[in-house]
Amino acid sequence: MDLSIVLVQYRPDEGELRRTLASLLQQNCHDFELVVADDGSDEDFFPLTREILAKNGFTGAKFAKLFPNGGTVKNVLNGVRYATGRWVFTISPGDYLYDANTVTWLLEVLRRDAPPVMFGHLACYAEEKSTPVQRAGDTPFDASPYMPGKYNAKTAKRNLLLYDDGISGAGLVYERNILMDALEKMDGRVLLAEDFAARLFAVEKIPIAGYNRCIVWYEVGTGVSTNEGARTRMLRDWRAMLELLRELYPRDRMVCMSYEYYFNDRHRSRLVRGLIGRMLVPQNAPFKKAQREWKPPVNGNPSELQKIYKIGSCQQDK
């Protein structure tokens, strides 16, 4: 297989898991490998997943159990080790492939352009009283450095490190070998933010291509990056990632500057942050204003999301 989809889960909700599986099974092309990676959940729903896949004629899925719970980075790494595809796309219960043509489109792009790393748009939603409601959301705010075939390595590194204009792991597709290498470096340091691998790639000058197509419905307000209760843990991971980058690339000016800007704990830290912020971070740039005010676009056709909910509901009724 060219593409491995790794379903990454921790304490999955049964309804969300059913809908995620529905989004995979509704694909008009099943030319992908599926690996289900569980992070030490008491109830992993492996038997249910096997049953749903078998009823829909999908065989050969792999199941990777991590025990005890080790965090997202360890869980993704464990799942990727089971995968054999050239590229890896990760998805979690509650997030869904955008429409029935998503895998077909991904394979076309991967085989044509062979990007080491790529991403597409997020279509975001939240569930209210068992009903999905579209929400604003997408990353990055500035997609201009990632134009396919015109990757701007310098700007991408600056945006990802100094401007903290990250790329959500929900929309990223990676070559398996480089993702595994990155996660092995991050293992034991970064706990939850597996998508910080993209920031390592920027330092290592591995091209990242961004495409103008929605590839996933992303649930906001519940995950480790959009839930308020988890923000402090994500900040801890950002510090751990920058400390790792400083150790790996101690002479990289942007790495060192980014660490000074965010985590300089010396008595002059406010002065350093102020100087860097005023001189190097363009607070008046349109994308920085949108990022600061959290004004991303609203992407996607809600009818596609309704289809997934309907299929998932029918599976449960059966």
Side-chain angles (χ1 to χ4, degrees):
M1 296 291 181
D2 287 322
L3 178 65
S4 294
I5 296 179
V6 181
L7 175 53
V8 182
Q9 61 179 38
Y10 172 60
R11 295 180 178 176
D13 174 82
E14 181 181 344
E16 292 180 345
L17 175 60
R18 285 180 179 274
R19 289 190 290 272
T20 299
L21 292 173
S23 78
L24 297 173
L25 293 167
Q26 76 161 350
Q27 296 301 306
N28 54 28
C29 170
H30 285 179
D31 190 17
F32 61 89
E33 174 186 56
L34 178 62
V35 179
V36 184
D38 183 82
D39 190 15
S41 304
D42 294 333
E43 175 56 84
D44 55 30
F45 292 106
F46 280 1
L48 174 64
T49 299
R50 289 189 177 96
E51 178 185 349
I52 292 173
L53 294 175
K55 285 182 177 179
N56 288 273
F58 194 102
T59 59
K62 300 175 182 177
F63 293 82
K65 182 77 173 184
L66 185 67
F67 191 82
N69 164 255
T72 310
V73 169
K74 286 183 180 294
N75 194 31
V76 174
L77 178 58
N78 191 45
V80 170
R81 285 172 173 159
Y82 279 74
T84 60
R86 178 177 173 182
W87 287 277
V88 171
F89 177 50
T90 63
I91 194 167
S92 297
D95 301 333
Y96 318 121
L97 293 185
Y98 175 72
D99 61 16
N101 297 310
T102 300
V103 166
T104 298
W105 179 84
L106 280 173
L107 288 172
E108 179 183 341
V109 169
L110 294 172
R111 290 165 177 167
R112 182 190 68 215
D113 298 346
V117 185
M118 65 160 284
F119 65 91
H121 290 304
L122 308 179
C124 293
Y125 81 98
E127 191 172 285
E128 297 180 3
K129 298 180 180 179
S130 301
T131 301
V133 179
Q134 261 192 303
R135 290 283 182 259
D138 202 3
T139 62
F141 280 87
D142 180 15
S144 61
Y146 309 102
M147 293 179 62
K150 298 180 181 179
Y151 180 61
N152 188 324
K154 182 177 180 181
T155 302
K157 182 167 75 167
R158 180 202 65 188
N159 284 9
L160 284 166
L161 297 185
L162 190 59
Y163 295 177
D164 192 26
D165 190 25
I167 306 170
S168 171
L172 279 162
V173 183
Y174 322 77
E175 280 193 335
R176 180 173 53 85
N177 290 338
I178 66 170
L179 176 60
M180 188 180 303
D181 179 66
L183 294 177
E184 286 174 346
K185 292 173 182 174
M186 295 162 60
D187 187 15
R189 307 287 291 272
V190 179
L191 182 64
L192 301 173
E194 87 291 343
D195 51 13
F196 282 176
R199 308 190 186 206
L200 175 61
F201 299 150
V203 178
E204 295 177 336
K205 299 181 180 179
I206 295 173
I208 303 171
Y211 291 85
N212 188 25
R213 204 245 196 222
C214 290
I215 63 173
V216 68
W217 287 101
Y218 182 55
E219 187 177 18
V220 296
T222 60
V224 296
S225 58
T226 58
N227 182 283
E228 286 293 339
R231 294 281 171 87
T232 55
R233 286 178 289 173
M234 293 301 290
L235 185 62
R236 175 226 168 261
D237 270 2
W238 182 214
R239 181 172 193 140
M241 189 68 200
L242 279 174
E243 289 174 347
L244 174 62
L245 289 172
R246 275 207 317 174
E247 292 175 18
L248 295 174
Y249 301 98
R251 297 185 180 182
D252 188 294
R253 179 173 174 270
M254 189 59 67
V255 168
C256 295
M257 191 182 305
S258 299
Y259 184 86
E260 291 294 320
Y261 183 49
Y262 289 104
F263 299 113
N264 181 347
D265 294 329
R266 295 170 300 184
H267 68 283
R268 293 183 180 179
S269 60
R270 291 184 180 178
L271 175 61
V272 173
R273 291 191 190 102
L275 288 173
I276 295 175
R278 288 180 178 276
M279 297 174 65
L280 299 174
V281 180
Q283 299 299 331
N284 291 323
F287 92 90
K288 283 300 295 181
K289 287 183 178 180
Q291 183 189 48
R292 186 169 59 251
E293 296 170 7
W294 190 244
K295 291 184 177 180
V298 178
N299 297 328
N301 182 344
S303 66
E304 297 294 344
L305 183 58
Q306 294 293 344
K307 290 178 188 176
I308 295 167
Y309 265 72
K310 184 176 180 180
I311 297 170
S313 178
C314 289
Q315 285 182 351
Q316 195 161 6
D317 292 341
K318 292 178 182 179

